Amino acid sequence: MVSAGGPQLDCMICDKHRSDGPLVGPTVWEDEHLVISHRPVGEDGTTVLGYLFVESRRHVPYLADLTDSEAEAIGRAVRRAALGLRTELAADFVFAAIAGMSHAHFHQHVFVRHTGTPAEYGWMSGDQWPDAPRGTTAAVVGLCSRLRPYLDEGSTPERTS
């Protein structure tokens, strides 16, 4: 059984929050409840743009283990991140998913389906499309900077389209 609460020494996501390990990517935004980061670049020095992770700061394994305050903060952040991704990347869709059991630390994926992604790439595999827009660390950091205002309380650009 996984204990809930403070950082765990054997958790890759807790390590990531300490800026350690292979999951570390540029941070988009964080507060006392959560951390939002972009997928890090791979061995080729690039990554598909627009793939975020929203993680509870507190080490808990499941959605049901979050406090109401944590769940509300995560829900608000996911919506704002989706708005930012859709606007900044002119994406066809922004998906959010809580899936998998590989890391017993709550995390939600928020990711775009880029315009022009062929139909044979399912909703969870758009990042496998070879022509998906990719960026270096500098491009990802730039995107994270553009996304930050969507997440700042009181300064979220409310755009409709």
Side-chain angles (χ1 to χ4, degrees), residues 43-102:
E43 291 181 12
D44 69 350
T46 71
T47 190
V48 173
L49 294 172
Y51 202 112
L52 307 180
F53 300 98
V54 179
E55 301 152 346
S56 61
R57 186 171 292 280
R58 191 169 61 95
H59 182 85
V60 296
Y62 307 110
L63 176 63
D65 295 325
L66 297 171
T67 66
D68 286 347
S69 295
E70 289 168 330
E72 289 166 3
I74 288 168
R76 189 170 35 260
V78 167
R79 187 202 70 82
R80 290 176 176 200
L83 173 64
L85 287 169
R86 184 181 70 192
T87 303
E88 295 299 322
L89 295 176
D92 281 346
F93 296 99
V94 179
F95 297 110
I98 302 168
M101 296 174 31
S102 60

Side-chain angles (χ1 to χ4, degrees), residues 115-131:
T115 300
T117 303
E120 62 263 22
Y121 293 93
W123 74 278
M124 281 289 295
S125 61
D127 61 337
Q128 295 173 18
W129 175 40
D131 293 331

Side-chain angles (χ1 to χ4, degrees), residues 16 21-26 37-42 46-48 51 53 137 140:
K16 176 182 173 181
L23 300 181
V24 175
S37 61
H38 195 285
R39 177 187 276 174
V41 299
T46 71
T47 190
V48 173
Y51 202 112
F53 300 98
T137 297
V140 172

Side-chain angles (χ1 to χ4, degrees), residues 115-156:
T115 300
T117 303
E120 62 263 22
Y121 293 93
W123 74 278
M124 281 289 295
S125 61
D127 61 337
Q128 295 173 18
W129 175 40
D131 293 331
R134 300 184 71 79
T136 62
T137 297
V140 172
V141 168
L143 174 61
C144 292
S145 293
R146 294 193 318 273
L147 292 173
R148 226 167 264 124
Y150 294 89
L151 291 143
D152 288 337
E153 194 71 37
S155 67
T156 303

